Amino acid sequence: AAELQRLERDLHDGAQARLITLSMKLGMAQMLLVGQPEVARLLRSANDETRAAIAELRDLARGIAPPVLTDRGLAAAVEALASRSVAPVAVQADLDRRLAPVVEGAAYFVVCEALANAAKHAPGAPVEVTLSLRDDVLRLRIRDEGPGGADPSGSGLSGLRHRVEALDGALTITSAPGGTTIVAELPCP
C-alpha cells in the first residue's frame, strides 16, 4: 500500500507535472507560428495528444489510490463513487474502524467495478452498496436491480475474484432476471 501511494505521488508530481509543462510550451510555440499553418497544425496535434496523456495519467494515478480513500477511508470513498454514478446508488456502511490499506483498496475496486458493470449492463437501475465489518471480516454487498445475466467468468468479474482471493477472501456472484448481487468477504484481522 505504501509503495502504491509512493507511485501515485511520483506520477502526480513527476510525469504529470512534466506533461503539463510540455503542453504549455507547445501552446506557446503554436501561438508563435501564425504564418506557418502546417507546423501550427502539428503542434496543435501534439498538444492534443499531450492533454490526452495527462488525462490518462490522472486516471491511472486515481486508480492506484484515490485520495478520498487514503484520506477518509472506505465508506467515504464509496460514497464519493456513488455520488458520481449515473444510476441511483444507496450506500450503507457499518465500519467502526479503518482497515488495512490493502483491504480498503481491494474493497474499493470491487465496488468500483460492480458500479461500472451496473452502469453498463443495467443503466439507470437502482444499486445498493452495503459495507459491514463483523468478526474481522469486511463484507461488501453490491446489488443492482438490472436484467441480470452477469457472466462470473467474464474478464472484469474474474479480475475482481482474483483481487479478493489474493487477500484470502471470497467472492460470490448471483445474477438472474431482476438483478445481480456481488458479495465479497475480505478478512481483516
Side-chain angles (χ1 to χ4, degrees):
E3 184 62 18
L4 288 175
Q5 288 176 344
R6 184 198 61 76
L7 181 59
E8 178 188 18
R9 272 193 314 276
D10 289 350
L11 287 172
H12 181 271
D13 298 341
Q16 182 177 317
R18 291 178 68 104
L19 284 171
I20 289 170
T21 301
L22 175 62
S23 179
M24 291 172 30
K25 287 181 179 180
L26 286 169
M28 289 186 292
Q30 187 179 340
M31 290 189 299
L32 296 174
L33 295 170
V34 176
Q36 300 179 41
E38 288 296 313
V39 177
R41 185 180 52 74
L42 285 171
L43 283 173
R44 187 172 34 257
S45 176
N47 202 8
D48 290 345
E49 287 297 318
T50 303
R51 280 193 292 258
I54 292 167
E56 287 178 19
L57 195 57
R58 282 184 180 142
D59 288 344
L60 174 64
R62 262 185 253 129
I64 292 172
V68 69
L69 179 62
T70 304
D71 297 341
R72 296 183 24 226
L74 181 59
V78 170
E79 287 284 352
L81 280 174
S83 72
R84 293 190 307 263
S85 177
V86 294
V89 179
V91 177
Q92 284 188 306
D94 183 15
L95 306 174
D96 61 357
R97 62 184 163 95
R98 290 290 304 261
L99 308 172
V102 69
V103 173
E104 287 188 337
Y108 175 83
F109 287 111
V110 167
V111 174
C112 231
E113 179 71 21
L115 291 179
N117 285 346
K120 181 177 179 183
H121 301 292
V127 180
E128 295 175 357
V129 178
T130 306
L131 313 169
S132 62
L133 183 60
R134 300 279 185 274
D135 300 321
D136 289 335
V137 174
L138 172 63
R139 186 171 195 267
L140 311 170
R141 182 179 179 272
I142 305 99
R143 166 133 177 74
D144 70 59
E145 295 180 19
D151 179 8
S153 64
S155 63
L157 294 176
S158 291
L160 289 184
R161 184 176 313 285
H162 296 335
R163 184 183 292 269
V164 168
E165 289 174 352
L167 299 176
D168 294 327
L171 184 80
T172 57
I173 300 157
T174 308
S175 191
T180 297
T181 302
I182 296 173
V183 176
E185 294 182 332
L186 294 163
C188 44

